[in-house]
Every structure is written in C-alpha cells, then in structure tokens.
C-alpha cells in the first residue's frame, strides 16, 4: 500500500479514509444557518453536538435496560459510568453557549420560528428511558411518524428504574406488587415499600453489593440529569432573561418547574431512613 516518507498511508478511497468512516461530508454539511449572523453557527453546533451525545446516552441506557431484564447487573456499572461521563460533557458544553450574549442571540432568534430544544425527540426518549413519562408530550411529534412511533413504544415500556425494581423482586426482595406490574405509560409514583427495600440494601451492603452499587449508579445519573437541567435554566436566564421560549413555553419559569421532577424518588427517601 503506497505510503509517504513519514509512513502515512496515502492510497485512500472514500470507504477507507477517516472522513469516509465518520461520514464527515454529511456531518460537516449539516450546519445550515438561516441568517447571516456570525453567532448562529455556534448555536447550531452546540445543539447538534448535544444531540450526538444524547444518541450515545440512548444507546447505553437501552443496553443497560436489556442487561437488567436479563438479570445481569454487572455490565450496567460500566455502562452507567459512561452515561455519567456523557452527562458531564452535556453539562460542560453549556459554558460554550453562555458566550452568546443577549444582543448577539436576538440578531438571529427570529429565524428559529417555533423551533425549540424542548422539542428534541432524543431528550424525550432519555426521559422516558429514565422513567419521566408524560403521554401528552408525544403530540409534539405527530409530524414525525418514526419519532412518534418510537416514543410511543418507550412510553409503554418499563424504564430502567422499573426494570431494576422487577429485578429486585425476582431476587426475592419484597417490592410491592403494584410496582412490578403496572401501566408503564403512567408516571412513576413513589412507594414506602420500595424505600424499605432500599433500606435493607443500604444496611446490608456486603450481602447486596451489586444491588447497592446499582443504586448508587442510578443516584449518579439522576444527580447529573438535574445538574444539566439547572445549568440549562441558568444559561437560558443569562441569554434571554424571562422572555417566553421559542417553543411557546414561559421560558425560565417553565424550566425551573422541571427541576422538581424526581426520577428515582425512593433512592432519595432512603437516605432519611438510614440511622
């Protein structure tokens, strides 16, 4: 195979090159500003990169769910550790968007129309995979049949938390029956019986080490999810103040309400029960 004087392979085709493998032609052509303002490129790339990280999160969370369903907790530890690092990337990249000032954003905000990050299909998929279910939100995706079908399926399927509770029940732990079989499309409601199960795990870590480790990994995921949301609120507040959001929400006020959502409530409650 032909090489240059430094040993680099030079006989490349679109199929064997770095750019070909990563489909860079398509990826780098996907930034299409609708205005002539310099800073719109930042706004587009920021959100596209976030969508790529979210794609990886979905890939990993679906794998974790499959492992728990098959009674394999150990592989989930590596998977959720990776999810945590992806969440860290999503959190840190808000600092790039925060270099966009209010006067710069207003120059091109109008070209967005009703488009809003809250319409992200992948973000909604992550919420459903983590158990934050809301059937009404699927209406936003009626214009996109594949996304609507995928979200409808996720809505009706057990979340990662649901599958973990079912795993614990299969291991003989007294998880309340109404948390093992229920209408998965409905939001999760916490139960004192689940808190009691987690208390047993936390007070007997040597006996239930894998389950204990899984609990802590889930706490990591929720904490980072909430930190991401908080940073989102502060970034929006910094750039647009208290103006309405482009998607029709009240903006910062709406985003602040999302901070009240608890994904795995008993994993917080159990901390109060441990003496």
């Amino acid at each position: 195979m032909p090489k240059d004087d430094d040993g680099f392979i030079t006989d490349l085709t679109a199929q064997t090159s770095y750019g070909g493998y990563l489909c860079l032609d398509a990826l780098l052509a996907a930034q299409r500003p609708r205005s002539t303002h310099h800073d719109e490129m930042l706004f587009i790339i920021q959100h596209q990169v976030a969508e790529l990280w979210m794609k990886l999160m979905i890939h990993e969370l679906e794998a974790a769910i499959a492992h728990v369903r098959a009674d394999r907790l150990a592989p989930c530890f590596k998977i959720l550790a990776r999810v945590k690092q992806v969440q860290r990337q999503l959190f840190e990249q808000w600092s790039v968007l925060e270099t966009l000032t209010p006067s710069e954003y207003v120059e091109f905000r109008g070209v967005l129309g009703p488009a809003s990050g809250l319409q992200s299909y992948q973000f909604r998929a992550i919420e459903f995979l983590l158990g934050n279910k809301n059937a009404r939100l699927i209406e936003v995706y009626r214009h996109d049949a594949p996304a609507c079908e995928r979200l409808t399926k996720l809505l009706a399927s057990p979340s990662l938390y649901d599958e973990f509770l079912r795993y614990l029940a299969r291991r003989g732990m007294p998880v309340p029956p109404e948390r093992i079989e229920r209408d998965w499309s409905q939001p999760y409601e916490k139960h004192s019986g689940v808190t009691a199960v987690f208390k047993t795990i936390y007070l007997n870590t040597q006996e239930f080490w894998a389950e204990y480790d899984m609990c802590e990994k889930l706490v990591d995921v929720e904490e980072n999810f909430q930190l991401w949301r908080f940073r989102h609120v502060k970034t929006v507040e910094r750039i647009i103040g208290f103006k309405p959001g482009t998607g029709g929400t009240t903006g910062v006020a709406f985003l602040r309400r999302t901070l009240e959502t608890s994904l795995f409530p008993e994993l917080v409650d159990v901390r109060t029960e441990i003496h």
Side-chain angles (χ1 to χ4, degrees):
M1 186 172 289
K3 300 181 180 181
D4 67 9
D5 293 340
D6 293 320
F8 291 112
I9 297 172
T10 57
D11 184 18
L12 297 170
T13 66
Q15 286 71 39
T16 60
S17 71
Y18 170 83
Y21 175 70
L22 296 178
C23 301
L24 289 183
D25 285 349
L27 184 64
L28 298 179
Q31 295 74 48
R32 300 169 187 169
R34 296 179 177 179
S35 76
T36 59
H37 196 272
H38 173 83
D39 295 298
E40 190 183 355
M41 184 64 77
L42 159 64
F43 191 81
I44 292 171
I45 290 176
Q46 168 88 21
H47 289 82
Q48 288 181 337
V49 170
E51 290 292 333
L52 287 173
W53 282 126
M54 285 191 281
K55 182 174 183 177
L56 180 57
M57 273 190 68
I58 292 168
H59 177 72
E60 300 294 350
L61 290 173
E62 288 182 329
I65 288 173
H67 282 303
V68 177
R69 190 179 294 131
D71 294 336
R72 297 187 300 262
L73 283 192
C76 294
F77 305 149
K78 171 64 178 294
I79 288 172
L80 296 181
R82 179 176 294 168
V83 167
K84 179 180 176 180
Q85 294 305 317
V86 171
Q87 291 177 300
R88 181 180 177 184
Q89 298 301 314
L90 285 165
F91 176 86
E92 292 294 344
Q93 75 174 52
W94 285 120
S95 63
V96 183
L97 193 62
E98 285 177 347
T99 66
L100 184 67
T101 67
S103 54
E104 290 168 343
Y105 182 47
V106 76
E107 291 288 336
F108 63 87
R109 191 186 189 210
V111 304
L112 302 180
S116 166
L118 293 173
Q119 298 156 9
S120 167
Y121 145 70
Q122 292 197 124
F123 179 75
R124 201 64 60 205
I126 289 169
E127 284 199 304
F128 286 5
L129 288 165
L130 294 177
N132 189 20
K133 304 285 186 74
N134 187 335
R136 184 174 58 85
L137 294 176
I138 293 182
E139 292 299 320
V140 176
Y141 308 96
R142 291 299 176 191
H143 68 285
D144 184 343
C148 188
E149 181 179 355
R150 179 80 183 284
L151 288 174
T152 300
K153 182 178 179 180
L154 289 176
L155 182 74
S157 301
S159 69
L160 177 59
Y161 193 56
D162 291 323
E163 288 292 2
F164 183 45
L165 295 182
R166 298 175 86 187
Y167 164 90
L168 294 175
R170 290 194 299 274
R171 286 292 178 270
M173 305 199 79
V175 178
E178 57 266 43
R179 290 296 171 268
I180 299 169
E181 292 298 336
R182 63 184 187 86
D183 181 353
W184 307 116
S185 69
Q186 296 302 306
Y188 182 83
E189 295 182 5
K190 68 180 181 179
H191 193 294
S192 60
V194 174
T195 305
V197 168
F198 287 144
K199 183 177 181 180
T200 298
I201 291 171
Y202 274 84
L203 293 179
N204 300 275
T205 57
Q206 293 303 313
E207 182 180 356
F208 301 109
W209 186 265
E211 292 78 8
Y212 168 65
D213 199 1
M214 184 67 174
C215 288
E216 287 298 285
K217 291 292 190 297
L218 290 174
V219 171
D220 283 342
V221 169
E222 170 150 15
E223 180 178 320
N224 281 278
F225 190 79
Q226 295 292 59
L227 287 171
W228 180 89
R229 280 188 148 169
F230 178 76
R231 189 71 180 271
H232 185 193
V233 171
K234 299 307 292 183
T235 300
V236 172
E237 185 179 88
R238 175 173 178 153
I239 296 175
I240 70 168
F242 297 96
K243 290 193 285 287
T246 52
T249 72
T250 55
V252 167
F254 170 81
L255 293 173
R256 282 180 175 170
R257 288 198 299 274
T258 67
L259 296 174
E260 300 170 2
T261 301
S262 180
L263 299 173
F264 318 130
E266 293 93 348
L267 285 175
V268 176
D269 290 350
V270 72
R271 283 151 164 78
T272 307
E273 300 296 322
I274 295 172
H275 303 288

